Amino acid sequence: MKKQNVRTISLIVCTFTYLLVGAAVFDALESETEKRRWEALQSVEDRIIRKYNISQEDFKVMETVVLKSEPHKAGQQWKFTGAFYYATTVLTTIGYGHSTPTTRGGKLFTMCYAIVGIPLGLVMFQSIGERVNRLSSFVIKAVRTSLRCKRTIASEVDLICVVTTLSSLTIAGGAAAFSRFEGWSYFDSVYYCFITLTTIGFGDMVALQKDNALNRKPEYVMFALIFILFGLAIVAASLNLLVLRFVTMNTEDERRDEAQAMQALQVAVKLEGDVITSNGSILSGYEGHDGQSLNGTNTSSMCSCRCICLNGNRHKRHQYKLRRSPTHIRHLLPEVVPMQDLNYDTQSMHTIGALNGSGIMTGSHMGMGMGMGMGLDVVDDTENRSPHKPPHKLLKRNVSLLSFRI
């Protein structure tokens, strides 16, 4: 199985396992509290109904009025300031839900606006994140150069530490400001900042929703918008280092496999069904280069050179000349030595050729043939030579037949 498939299956299993663990933990932490709050609300509802002697229908109407009037406590949500705040939550995919369009035109425009705005926002924040990482690399290099460190280039671990520190400072500073303006506790403010910058946006805590802040506190509105945009850029820088590295792992593995396959094809040389690789190994459809065939049978005779000589009919049947240019496989062929340089007489050659009755030196007599050129086949042409020519002139050149086992 490919590494990419194994990684995908592992991620699916880990994700569902993480979901099951999270569900179990949230169940243990929140279920009892939810039950107690529901019982308390039911008790208050019954007490109000008995006290003011109203029906269940009237109480439902009052409940609806209270819920629907909650967003209006911050002032007009759809004036330019409130509309800009809403557009920001759409483009950044935060989606608090504190104000939603009620008209059909508003809902249609929200969908069209999100189709264009969300990709635009993602690309913008990703680009800003890359610039932040580049600036961090430059600052780290400058500091290390001033301190005369041996290693001045910033690594991924250094960049992760920098953007993590910036993210922590952004959340801590924003939490202090929101705690002051909204009257929240510092822990709730940290929770709001984290939910906002991770674009979860539950909507249980939303800034700018008290005391008509959208119209009366323009400086606070400006701070909230800058905090959202700047904080999302810092988070995008963190995601660029942490998440995208894992996202692109499958693509990198596929490219690496393709490159290895192309490289393997480039270094292979084909010889009429055989393949001679760059390290000199012969890959054949019938037998391997180690003298053992693919079906498990071993050869009966082998020579010590790269050419493997076979006896019997197989040797005669599979003997062929190399049809490739010698320059392509010259490093794989044994060196051809002229016969006149070997200092062997004609009678010696006749003796060797008579060993098998055919004039061809086989692997069983290779010990004698090693002195004549590392197992080169030598053909005795005594019977066919002319009686007028001296015997020593017939052996001035070596026959270039090689016995490859295929």
Side-chain angles (χ1 to χ4, degrees), residues 16-207:
F16 277 96
T17 304
Y18 194 72
L19 290 173
L20 293 175
V21 172
V25 172
F26 288 128
D27 185 7
L29 293 176
E30 297 292 336
S31 59
E32 291 296 328
T33 304
E34 180 189 24
K35 183 179 179 180
R36 290 195 299 267
R37 292 186 64 182
W38 171 250
E39 292 175 353
L41 289 174
Q42 286 295 115
S43 176
V44 172
E45 179 180 346
D46 295 338
R47 189 166 57 249
I48 292 175
I49 291 174
R50 289 195 305 268
K51 181 179 180 179
Y52 296 101
N53 195 17
I54 60 177
S55 63
Q56 289 286 344
E57 290 76 11
D58 294 337
F59 183 83
K60 295 296 183 183
V61 172
M62 293 175 57
E63 187 178 18
T64 303
V65 170
V66 171
L67 292 175
K68 294 296 183 179
S69 62
E70 183 66 24
H72 298 280
K73 295 181 179 179
Q76 292 181 327
Q77 295 285 340
W78 294 105
K79 287 296 183 180
F80 183 79
T81 306
F84 189 85
Y85 188 46
Y86 170 79
T88 303
T89 60
V90 171
L91 187 140
T92 57
T93 68
I94 295 175
Y96 287 128
H98 64 288
S99 60
T100 56
T102 56
T103 63
R104 182 171 298 179
K107 294 177 181 178
L108 179 62
F109 182 75
T110 298
M111 293 186 289
C112 298
Y113 186 79
I115 289 174
V116 179
I118 291 176
L120 179 63
L122 292 176
V123 172
M124 181 195 70
F125 289 123
Q126 183 66 28
S127 180
I128 294 175
E130 291 179 356
R131 296 302 95 192
V132 171
N133 291 333
R134 183 63 63 87
L135 178 62
S136 301
S137 301
F138 178 78
V139 172
I140 292 173
K141 183 177 181 180
V143 171
R144 288 183 174 178
T145 303
S146 62
L147 296 177
R148 297 181 180 179
C149 297
K150 294 182 179 180
R151 186 167 176 268
T152 59
I153 299 177
S155 62
E156 289 187 359
V157 177
D158 299 330
L159 295 177
I160 290 173
C161 293
V162 170
V163 297
T164 302
T165 303
L166 289 176
S167 301
S168 301
L169 293 176
T170 302
I171 292 176
F178 288 117
S179 177
R180 176 182 176 184
F181 285 104
E182 296 290 341
W184 299 331
S185 65
Y186 187 77
F187 180 80
D188 290 340
S189 299
V190 172
Y191 168 78
Y192 164 77
C193 293
F194 181 83
I195 295 300
T196 298
L197 297 184
T198 54
T199 69
I200 297 175
F202 287 130
D204 54 340
M205 301 179 66
V206 183

Side-chain angles (χ1 to χ4, degrees), residues 309-323:
C309 304
L310 301 178
N311 55 4
N313 295 329
R314 181 179 294 181
H315 173 76
K316 297 179 181 179
R317 184 172 66 251
H318 298 296
Q319 193 178 46
Y320 62 90
K321 293 183 180 181
L322 296 176
R323 298 181 181 179

Side-chain angles (χ1 to χ4, degrees), residues 165-365:
T165 303
L166 289 176
S167 301
S168 301
L169 293 176
T170 302
I171 292 176
F178 288 117
S179 177
R180 176 182 176 184
F181 285 104
E182 296 290 341
W184 299 331
S185 65
Y186 187 77
F187 180 80
D188 290 340
S189 299
V190 172
Y191 168 78
Y192 164 77
C193 293
F194 181 83
I195 295 300
T196 298
L197 297 184
T198 54
T199 69
I200 297 175
F202 287 130
D204 54 340
M205 301 179 66
V206 183
L208 302 174
Q209 299 300 302
K210 292 182 179 180
D211 302 328
N212 199 11
L214 288 172
N215 299 323
R216 296 182 180 179
K217 299 178 180 179
E219 68 282 355
Y220 181 39
V221 175
M222 187 65 64
F223 168 78
L225 295 175
I226 293 175
F227 168 79
I228 292 174
L229 298 177
F230 179 77
L232 288 175
I234 300 298
V235 172
S238 302
L239 296 178
N240 188 30
L241 294 172
L242 296 175
V243 178
L244 293 183
R245 176 61 179 172
F246 296 98
V247 170
T248 58
M249 287 182 69
N250 284 339
T251 305
E252 293 178 357
D253 289 339
E254 291 177 357
R255 291 178 179 176
R256 189 182 301 111
D257 293 341
E258 292 177 359
Q260 291 177 354
M262 293 297 297
Q263 185 177 5
L265 290 176
Q266 291 176 358
V267 300
V269 180
K270 292 186 177 180
L271 291 176
E272 290 187 354
D274 290 350
V275 176
I276 300 180
T277 59
S278 59
N279 60 358
S281 302
I282 300 176
L283 306 179
S284 176
Y286 294 94
E287 296 183 0
H289 68 280
D290 56 351
Q292 185 174 4
S293 62
L294 295 178
N295 57 5
T297 60
N298 295 327
T299 57
S300 59
S301 61
M302 294 178 59
C303 64
S304 58
C305 64
R306 293 183 182 176
C307 303
I308 302 176
C309 304
L310 301 178
N311 55 4
N313 295 329
R314 181 179 294 181
H315 173 76
K316 297 179 181 179
R317 184 172 66 251
H318 298 296
Q319 193 178 46
Y320 62 90
K321 293 183 180 181
L322 296 176
R323 298 181 181 179
R324 286 278 184 176
S325 176
T327 58
H328 290 85
I329 56 173
R330 184 173 296 174
H331 64 287
L332 301 175
L333 301 178
E335 184 178 1
V336 178
V337 182
M339 293 298 296
Q340 61 266 27
D341 297 338
L342 298 176
N343 296 325
Y344 283 89
D345 56 1
T346 307
Q347 186 63 30
S348 300
M349 297 301 299
H350 285 301
T351 303
I352 296 171
L355 292 177
N356 61 353
S358 62
I360 299 178
M361 181 175 57
T362 61
S364 61
H365 305 96

